[in-house]
């Protein structure tokens, strides 16, 4: 569903981006496989453990993605992204301590 909606939105508003996505389909296969494996591990963890600790651990995904983006693609975080990350970290700490 998500892929269909995104494809439709790109077809309407950003056709060059949609063409670029289709042109780079081979490179995205590994990312898609990793995403599918991550989802299966996520659902397995939710089935085997209470949801709260699994969700709290899942927050670690954002800093890992930011680190990978920096290392692999030379992306930089905006000040707003740093602020949001700090707020998430504070929320996780409050949840863990509460």
């Amino acid at each position: 569903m998500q892929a269909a909606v995104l494809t439709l939105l790109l077809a309407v508003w950003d056709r060059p981006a949609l063409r670029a996505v289709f042109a780079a389909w081979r490179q995205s296969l590994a990312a898609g496989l990793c995403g599918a494996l991550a989802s299966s591990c996520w659902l397995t963890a939710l089935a085997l453990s209470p949801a709260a600790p699994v969700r709290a651990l899942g927050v670690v995904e954002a800093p890992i993605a930011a680190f990978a983006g920096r290392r692999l693609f030379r992306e930089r975080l905006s000040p707003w992204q740093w602020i949001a990350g700090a707020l998430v970290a504070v929320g996780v700490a409050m949840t863990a301590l509460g």
Side-chain angles (χ1 to χ4, degrees):
M1 185 71 162
Q2 183 181 14
V5 171
L6 182 58
T7 302
L8 178 66
L9 290 174
L10 286 175
V12 171
W13 282 298
D14 197 353
R15 287 182 191 241
L18 183 61
R19 281 192 288 276
V21 167
F22 283 124
W25 70 272
R26 285 188 180 109
Q27 293 89 342
S28 68
L29 285 178
L33 176 63
C34 288
L37 289 173
S39 292
S40 6
C41 290
W42 180 260
L43 292 172
T44 301
L46 284 170
L48 297 174
S49 176
V54 174
R55 292 287 300 154
L57 183 62
V59 173
V60 173
E61 176 186 1
I64 291 173
F67 177 75
R70 176 77 176 127
R71 281 293 275 188
L72 300 174
F73 307 114
R74 308 284 190 259
E75 295 174 345
R76 294 195 179 265
L77 295 177
S78 72
W80 285 112
Q81 289 169 317
W82 280 107
I83 291 168
L87 290 173
V88 168
V90 168
V92 169
M94 290 173 62
T95 302
L97 297 174

